[in-house]
């Protein structure tokens, strides 16, 4: 008979049939089982009638029948092999290696158990290999030990997952007992039982044990205890190797799991809070950290001044409606519509003992009824439906309460215990520091933004030379305001200076430096210097600023700048660059190119002279100046970023839109993520003055030419219908031409320009600086420039490569003050 087919009982557990023999009253073998034949190696015919003691090396007394009818105990004996029958003691008999190789049966240690049969004088003897007997004995001892203790629960399940044997009582885990015949959903919620049964079926199917698997168990009665149980699941097999059931050991690890969860929660709060300098983002991160580990619904409410960087109030909730719900989080789906939503302002909180506790930086926990009683009419707005327990922790920093974390429980049973309140307070303490840091940053950011906005000019200008529009976007994401700036400076003779720049660094220092540099450039622009000379003077200023700075910050004082001057009369644009990227020029027909500018070093580096570049620009062209922050945006980043920027500006310039709309479209959604640097884009649509608005004449160095100059000026004013200012203009022309011929020689050029004002220019070959003086009563000369200054709204002098030009401006009557420049503002046809 097959050994693996010998199964005792229907369950099919591993209990093979033992070897059995029956001895008569004299210890002779009367019966012999097939299992005994296999164990001893001798057939029944060979042992029938023989003394059982002959098979043993050291037989007990009962084996020979000498102890009468007494039962035999348990003895470890050595069973002789069949080849040794009739020989002496197996311990004294020596065998050669060859004999040992031929023997199929060697001496065996066995366990004997003898029991007398009633009224027969015979004994029933069971023979079990010693190793197997020891395993049975240890196993039984182990089971007795396991089932006798109250720390680890053990349950045996059949293949249908029904409990057949268990030691789990109500005292073991403080929950309902588990009895034979029960299923898991008898003692726990159906959904929890279903999750565990999935695990059990997996082990039953695969045979792969599961160790230390943590599962949640909730009582079938809502609101009662919850446990975290560690399960060890192993499949049991019968001797045929077929699944016979499962052994499940259960350990209550609720306390340990809770400690680990709380530690993990603190770690997550430390890693998520303080990662942003945005107050709202920090509040949202705080709400997300608390849900769902500690509560089902959470709100973060802050004092209203905090959101704009202001100081928190002296008394939190002091009777005024200054509390704002900044963030909410829920495990129960969307935030209930009937409750105060994120962004909503609290009504004035009524005075209560709980509010006074919060003002003293103490956490409070209340039941639903207590909260409703304290809030009164405001309860429907602030108490979630289905919530049964509340915990409030103040956000306290620098001696003041910034706001609160309000945590509600709906699904989780029980109130907040002391450990959870301490954990919530710890998280609130970390969050308060993060929110206060974000508040301080918001205040500094707001201050820098306000200062920079005050220091920057208007975003759009409209002059006879050009129409301009600037788009400025400050840095975000904790990088602070940089020192980017732009400018469109009107210059004499209808010219315009276009400027973009970028100061090194961020924050108020960079903003202040930017203001100083912008003021300096405006001053140098009024001197009508060449762009390269302007940058040279500004470079000297930056060196002085660096020398004044503390030693630790001298290396970070610097800037980049591009300065350009456009003349609508000649259509010439002169540019000089100090470390700025090249401008983009979009022609009237829509073609785009980068302007090749002789880029010098950034301001403050020194050692290399700056050079000016000059080009002619067609009216209607768009000149784009920008700082390098735009090249940090995703659409324009990388090696060919400037080419992509150039193509995008050209594409947008072909549309029938304003310059501001073009600039916004160029940036588009490129600012989706926070930019690390300021972004400045200055767009200028160039114009030209009509030819009939400008007249010029050249005269020799002869004082007789002064009268001719007055005559041609008067004639031109009559042609322009400006006879009402002819006398004043002729007087100015006479004085300027006379001084030029007398002190500078010739030739002398006179030019009249008509626009919103009448501009009179006299150019001579001398570089001598004219000076305005007050002549004495007896002086015969020295009154020329004084007369000019009295007759004009303003005057000045600029120098070219050879000679100088003195210019004046005379006001026109309102009927003739409209600009006559060709306003080519429409986009080029595509």
């Amino acid at each position: 008979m097959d050994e693996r087919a010998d199964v005792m009982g229907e369950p099919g557990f591993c209990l093979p049939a033992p070897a059995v023999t029956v001895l008569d009253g004299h210890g002779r073998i009367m019966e012999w089982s097939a299992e005994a034949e296999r164990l001893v190696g001798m057939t029944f015919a060979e042992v029938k009638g023989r003394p059982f003691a002959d098979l043993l090396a050291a037989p007990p007394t009962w084996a020979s029948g000498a102890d009468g009818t007494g039962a035999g105990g348990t003895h470890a004996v050595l069973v002789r092999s069949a080849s040794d029958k009739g020989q002496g003691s197996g311990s004294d008999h020596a065998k050669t290696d060859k004999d040992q190789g031929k023997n199929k049966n060697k001496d065996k240690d066995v366990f004997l158990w003898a029991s007398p049969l009633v009224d027969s004088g015979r004994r029933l003897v069971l023979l079990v290999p010693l190793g197997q007997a020891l395993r049975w004995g240890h196993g039984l001892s182990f089971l007795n030990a396991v089932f006798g203790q109250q720390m680890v629960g053990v349950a045996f399940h059949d293949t249908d997952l029904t409990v057949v044997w268990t030691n789990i009582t109500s005292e073991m885990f403080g929950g309902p007992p588990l009895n034979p015949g029960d299923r898991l959903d008898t003692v726990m919620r159906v959904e929890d039982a279903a999750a565990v049964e999935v695990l059990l079926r997996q082990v039953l199917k695969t045979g792969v044990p599961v160790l230390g698997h943590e599962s949640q168990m909730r009582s079938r009665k809502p609101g009662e205890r919850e446990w975290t149980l560690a399960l060890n699941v192993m499949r049991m097999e019968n001797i045929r190797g077929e699944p016979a059931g499962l052994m499940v050991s259960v350990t209550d690890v609720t306390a340990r799991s809770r400690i680990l969860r709380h530690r993990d929660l603190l770690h997550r709060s430390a890693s998520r809070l303080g990662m942003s300098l945005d107050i709202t983002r920090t509040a949202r991160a705080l709400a997300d950290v608390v849900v769902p580990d500690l509560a089902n619904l959470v709100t973060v409410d802050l004092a209203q001044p905090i959101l704009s960087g202001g100081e928190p109030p002296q008394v939190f909730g002091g009777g005024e409606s200054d509390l704002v719900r900044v963030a909410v989080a829920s495990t129960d789906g969307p935030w209930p519509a009937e409750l105060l939503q994120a962004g909503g302002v609290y009504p004035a909180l009524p005075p209560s003992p709980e509010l006074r506790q919060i003002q003293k930086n103490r956490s409070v926990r209340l039941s639903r009824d207590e909260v409703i009683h304290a809030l009164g009419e405001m309860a429907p707005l602030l108490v979630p439906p289905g919530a049964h327990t509340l915990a409030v922790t103040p956000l306290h920093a620098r001696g003041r309460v910034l706001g609160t974390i309000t945590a509600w429980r709906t699904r989780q049973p029980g109130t907040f215990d002391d450990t959870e309140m301490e954990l919530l307070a710890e998280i609130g303490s970390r969050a308060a520091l993060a929110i206060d840091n974000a508040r301080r940053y918001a205040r500094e950011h707001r201050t820098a933004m306000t200062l920079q906005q005050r220091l920057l000019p208007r975003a759009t200008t409209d002059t006879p030379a050009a129409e301009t529009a600037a788009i400025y976007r400050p840095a975000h994401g904790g990088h602070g305001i940089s020192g980017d700036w732009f400018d469109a400076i009107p210059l004499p003779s209808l010219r315009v200076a276009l400027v973009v720049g970028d100061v090194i660094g961020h924050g108020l220092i960079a903003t202040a430096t930017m203001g100083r540099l912008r003021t300096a450039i405006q001053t140098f622009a009024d001197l009508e210097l060449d762009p390269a000379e302007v940058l040279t003077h500004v470079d000297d200023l930056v060196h002085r600023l660096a020398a004044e700075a503390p030693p630790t910050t001298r290396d970070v004082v610097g800037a980049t700048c591009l300065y350009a001057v456009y003349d609508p009369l000649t259509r010439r644009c002169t540019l000089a660059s100090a470390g700025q990227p090249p401008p983009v020029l979009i022609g009237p027909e829509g073609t785009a190119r980068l302007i090749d500018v002789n880029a010098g070093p950034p301001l403050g580096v020194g050692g290399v002279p700056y050079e000016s570049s000059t080009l002619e620009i067609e009216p209607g062209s768009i000149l784009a100046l920008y700082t390098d922050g735009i090249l940090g945006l995703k659409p324009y980043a990388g090696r060919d970023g400037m080419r992509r920027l150039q193509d995008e500006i050209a594409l947008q310039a072909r549309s029938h839109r304003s310059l501001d709309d073009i600039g916004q479209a160029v940036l588009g959604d490129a600012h989706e993520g926070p930019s690390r640097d300021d972004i400045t884009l200055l767009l200028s649509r160039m114009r030209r003055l009509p030819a009939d608005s400008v007249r010029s004449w050249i005269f020799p160095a002869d004082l007789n030419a002064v009268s001719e100059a007055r005559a041609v000026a008067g004639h031109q004013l009559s042609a322009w219908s400006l006879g009402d200012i002819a006398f004043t203009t002729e007087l100015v022309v006479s004085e300027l031409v006379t001084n030029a011929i007398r002190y500078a020689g010739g030739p002398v050029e006179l030019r009249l320009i008509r626009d919103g004002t009448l501009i009179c220019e006299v150019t001579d070959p001398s570089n001598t600086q004219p000076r305005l003086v007050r002549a004495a009563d007896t002086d015969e000369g020295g009154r020329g420039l004084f007369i000019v200054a009295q007759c004009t709204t303003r005057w000045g002098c600029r120098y070219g490569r050879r000679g100088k030009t003195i210019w004046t401006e005379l006001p026109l009557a309102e009927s003739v003050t409209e600009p006559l420049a060709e306003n080519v503002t429409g986009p080029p046809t595509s």
Side-chain angles (χ1 to χ4, degrees), residues 296-313:
N296 300 112
L297 297 99
V298 172
T299 69
V300 178
D301 309 305
L302 299 176
Q304 200 164 27
I306 300 295
L307 301 179
S308 57
E311 290 289 337

Side-chain angles (χ1 to χ4, degrees), residues 154-501:
V154 179
F156 290 96
H157 298 253
D158 62 15
T159 54
D160 293 331
L161 305 185
T162 301
V163 177
V164 296
W165 193 19
T166 181
N167 71 330
I168 298 177
T169 63
S170 58
E171 292 81 11
M172 182 171 290
F173 301 132
L178 188 65
N179 300 311
D182 288 345
R183 297 184 64 88
L184 293 180
D185 55 11
T186 306
V187 296
M188 65 175 69
R189 291 189 185 181
V190 174
E191 57 268 30
D192 296 341
V196 176
E197 287 183 351
V198 169
L199 178 69
L200 299 185
R201 288 191 179 93
Q202 175 186 345
V203 176
L204 193 63
K205 178 181 179 181
T206 64
V208 178
V210 171
L211 304 177
H213 178 83
E214 292 191 3
S215 296
Q216 296 299 118
M217 174 185 169
R218 293 171 293 178
S219 174
R220 290 180 60 87
K221 296 181 180 180
E224 292 191 358
R225 284 190 59 185
E226 291 186 4
W227 297 265
T228 300
L229 303 178
L231 306 181
N232 298 315
V233 186
M234 287 168 280
R235 187 174 77 179
M236 297 184 297
E237 299 176 352
N238 60 24
I239 59 175
R240 291 188 294 269
E242 299 169 345
L246 294 167
M247 191 280 289
V248 181
S249 65
V250 182
T251 306
D252 186 359
V253 294
T254 304
R256 185 192 69 184
S257 177
R258 185 182 188 186
I259 293 173
L260 292 177
R261 287 201 312 272
H262 288 182
R263 186 174 64 184
D264 180 64
L265 187 59
L266 282 176
H267 175 73
R268 282 190 286 119
S269 67
S271 61
R272 295 189 61 181
L273 298 174
M275 297 302 294
S276 172
L277 289 175
D278 183 271
I279 295 176
T280 301
R281 288 184 182 178
T282 302
R284 289 173 182 168
L286 172 58
D288 292 339
V289 163
V290 177
V291 168
D293 291 296
L294 289 179
N296 300 112
L297 297 99
V298 172
T299 69
V300 178
D301 309 305
L302 299 176
Q304 200 164 27
I306 300 295
L307 301 179
S308 57
E311 290 289 337
Q314 293 285 347
V315 179
F316 177 78
E320 298 181 0
S321 301
D322 62 351
L323 194 62
V324 179
R325 178 155 290 177
V326 180
V328 297
S330 171
T331 60
D332 300 335
W335 188 253
E338 63 270 23
L339 298 182
L340 184 66
Q341 302 295 309
V345 179
Y346 267 69
L349 296 175
S352 65
E354 293 78 19
L355 181 59
R356 288 192 290 272
Q357 291 295 317
I358 294 173
Q359 292 170 346
K360 295 178 181 179
N361 191 30
R362 296 174 184 171
S363 301
V364 298
R365 53 188 165 191
L366 302 169
S367 67
R368 178 184 181 88
D369 294 339
E370 291 173 328
V371 176
I372 293 176
H373 176 74
L375 292 178
E377 296 180 354
M378 291 188 295
L381 183 65
L382 301 177
V383 180
H388 59 83
T389 303
L390 164 71
V392 181
T393 292
L395 299 172
H396 189 268
R398 298 184 302 107
R400 295 188 184 182
V401 178
L402 310 180
T404 60
I405 312 171
T406 304
W408 292 91
R409 281 184 173 171
T410 56
R411 298 182 181 179
Q412 296 181 4
T415 61
F416 294 88
D417 59 26
D418 293 342
T419 302
E420 291 171 328
M421 294 299 293
E422 291 175 2
L423 177 62
L424 193 61
E426 177 67 20
I427 294 174
S429 176
R430 299 185 181 190
L433 291 177
I435 290 174
D436 193 52
N437 288 337
R439 179 195 65 81
R440 293 185 177 189
Y441 169 76
R443 180 181 62 187
E444 181 178 344
H445 188 271
R446 183 187 61 186
T447 303
M449 278 288 298
T450 302
L451 177 60
Q452 188 160 35
Q453 288 172 356
R454 294 293 181 89
L455 293 176
L456 289 176
R458 292 182 303 167
T460 60
T461 64
D462 194 351
T463 66
E467 171 195 4
T468 68
I471 296 92
Y472 169 76
R473 292 182 180 172
H476 293 84
H479 300 286
I481 299 296
S482 295
D484 281 21
W485 85 94
F486 60 88
D487 223 334
I489 307 171
L491 298 179
S493 302
L494 307 182
R495 296 171 304 142
V496 64
L498 305 173
V499 188
V500 293

Side-chain angles (χ1 to χ4, degrees), residues 18-19 35 39 108-111 127-135:
E35 181 63 30
L39 179 61
K108 297 180 176 69
D109 289 325
V110 298
F111 179 83
L127 298 86
V128 181
L130 183 61
Q132 184 174 333
L134 291 175
R135 287 197 299 273

